[in-house]
């Protein structure tokens, strides 16, 4: 039975002086978190490292990649920072208490009806002829969406599934079973 195991990791801590700008890099703590993450993952036989092109994720991937020198890595639009927001016709799928918060999501982060996040799950959440392990260095809400998907939770339930910087969440697809959550927000290496 072929298996796909995705290691979903939130980038290291961002430099607080960047005010969460996409060009903001890692803080000194974020660089240390990424180094500890790389040490933790160095024995996993990854086939690829996919990272968000946003600076904090790219820098995390560079540091982690130093511990996984033979693993190819690349910027990947499937794992860019996104916030799934319901369209007008889908607002009823989200509890009313979240509507005003969702209305305030910046335009450049909005993923209406999670179209891009659904495509990311479809792209990565497949099995092939052989087992594979892939590392996705991404952002909190992207990880929350993957977890929500594998648990078959309501669409809005990605809210509150918070991931620590450089925490590891593992989701798995088997060819003969539904996807499973293997671990969530493992920070034992930090």
């Amino acid at each position: 039975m072929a298996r796909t195991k995705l290691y979903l990791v939130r980038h290291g801590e961002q430099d607080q002086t960047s005010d969460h700008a996409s060009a903001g890099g890692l803080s000194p703590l974020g660089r240390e978190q990424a180094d500890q993450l790389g040490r933790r993952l160095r024995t996993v036989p990854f086939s690829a490292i996919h990272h968000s092109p946003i600076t904090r994720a790219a820098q995390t991937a560079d540091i982690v990649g130093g511990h996984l020198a033979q693993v190819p890595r690349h910027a990947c639009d499937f794992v860019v920072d996104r916030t799934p927001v319901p369209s007008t016709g889908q607002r009823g799928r989200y509890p009313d208490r979240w509507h005003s918060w969702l209305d305030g999501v910046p335009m450049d982060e909005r993923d209406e009806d999670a179209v891009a996040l659904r495509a990311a799950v479809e792209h990565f959440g497949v099995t092939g002829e052989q087992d594979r392990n892939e590392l996705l260095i991404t952002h909190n809400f992207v990880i929350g969406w993957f977890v929500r998907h594998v648990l078959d939770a309501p669409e809005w339930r990605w809210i509150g599934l918070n991931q620590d910087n450089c925490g590891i969440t593992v989701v798995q697809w088997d060819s003969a079973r539904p996807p499973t959550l293997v671990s969530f927000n493992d920070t034992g290496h930090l």
Side-chain angles (χ1 to χ4, degrees):
M1 171 182 344
R3 173 194 48 76
T4 297
K5 195 177 276 190
L6 301 179
Y7 289 70
L8 305 168
V9 172
R10 184 179 183 193
H11 57 80
E13 180 187 77
Q14 186 174 5
D15 183 351
Q16 300 302 310
T17 63
S18 69
D19 196 30
H20 297 288
S22 61
L26 295 175
S27 69
L29 175 60
R31 287 189 288 279
E32 178 61 28
Q33 290 167 332
D35 184 62
Q36 291 171 349
L37 174 66
R39 292 174 193 278
R40 167 83 180 273
L41 297 176
R42 67 179 170 230
T43 61
V44 179
F46 288 112
S47 57
I49 300 170
H50 313 273
H51 65 83
S52 166
I54 295 176
T55 303
R56 58 193 179 268
Q59 288 178 349
T60 301
D62 287 344
I63 294 167
V64 170
H67 296 280
L68 305 167
Q70 302 303 314
V71 181
R73 65 182 182 270
H74 66 277
C76 177
D77 286 337
F78 281 114
V79 295
V80 75
D81 198 5
R82 303 181 198 289
T83 304
V85 295
S87 62
T88 303
Q90 298 297 315
R91 282 177 75 90
R93 292 179 172 227
Y94 280 69
D96 291 344
R97 69 182 180 272
W98 295 111
H99 290 184
S100 63
W101 181 81
L102 290 163
D103 290 343
V105 171
M107 290 307 291
D108 62 333
E109 291 179 20
R110 297 175 75 84
D111 181 11
E112 190 168 284
D113 294 336
V115 170
L117 287 167
R118 291 176 201 281
V121 169
E122 288 207 15
H123 177 78
F124 289 110
V126 295
T127 57
E129 296 293 318
Q130 298 178 330
D131 289 352
R132 67 185 166 91
N133 298 306
E134 298 198 13
L135 176 58
L136 283 62
I137 298 176
T138 185
H139 306 273
N140 191 48
F141 297 157
V142 175
I143 297 167
W145 185 265
F146 269 85
V147 171
R148 181 224 61 84
H149 174 82
V150 300
L151 295 177
D152 200 21
E155 287 193 16
W156 66 271
R157 199 53 193 100
W158 59 269
I159 299 172
L161 294 174
N162 295 320
Q163 184 84 7
D164 289 324
N165 294 108
C166 288
I168 304 167
T169 291
V170 180
V171 293
Q172 181 172 298
W173 277 260
D174 289 310
S175 55
R177 298 183 185 139
T180 57
L181 177 63
V182 176
S183 66
F184 179 74
N185 199 30
D186 177 352
T187 58
H189 53 287
L190 301 175

